[in-house]
Amino acid sequence: MGILSRKNNDTTPVNPQMAELGREFAIARRHGDRKTMRRIGREFTDTARSDADTASFQHGQQTYDALPPVNPPRRNRRR
């Protein structure tokens, strides 16, 4: 095994539309956009029909949460 090799658990979600909705929810949560979080939550409860939809939604959230946040560059600060 090399230094950079990692396990690749590339499981594709059953419902890609729900996964995208989950990603949007995770983005809104990271940015603190409560209005969008509520809108996506209502849309999820209206359209989720099975456990597979819920799993796809959670998969979308987890894939976005796995990305580390980008720290903006500092401006006008002395080091």
Side-chain angles (χ1 to χ4, degrees), residues 39-52:
R39 179 185 57 82
I40 293 172
R42 283 192 305 271
E43 189 175 339
F44 172 73
T45 55
D46 292 343
T47 57
R49 299 288 180 230
S50 65
D51 291 337

Side-chain angles (χ1 to χ4, degrees), residues 23-34 37 64 69-70:
R23 270 187 234 108
E24 290 179 12
F25 185 82
I27 291 169
R29 185 177 58 214
R30 184 176 285 182
H31 291 281
D33 190 358
R34 291 181 295 178
M37 286 174 58
Y64 186 78
V70 176

Side-chain angles (χ1 to χ4, degrees), residues 3 5 11 13 15 23 25 28 30 37 44 52-53 56 65 68 76-77:
I3 295 172
S5 64
T11 57
N15 189 346
R23 270 187 234 108
F25 185 82
R30 184 176 285 182
M37 286 174 58
F44 172 73
D53 290 343
S56 296
D65 289 338
N76 298 330
R77 289 192 182 177

Side-chain angles (χ1 to χ4, degrees), residues 3 6 12 16-17 33 48 50 55 59 62 70-71 74 79:
I3 295 172
R6 297 181 181 172
T12 57
Q17 294 169 338
D33 190 358
S50 65
H59 179 73
Q62 291 168 353
V70 176
N71 294 329
R74 292 196 247 169
R79 294 185 186 195

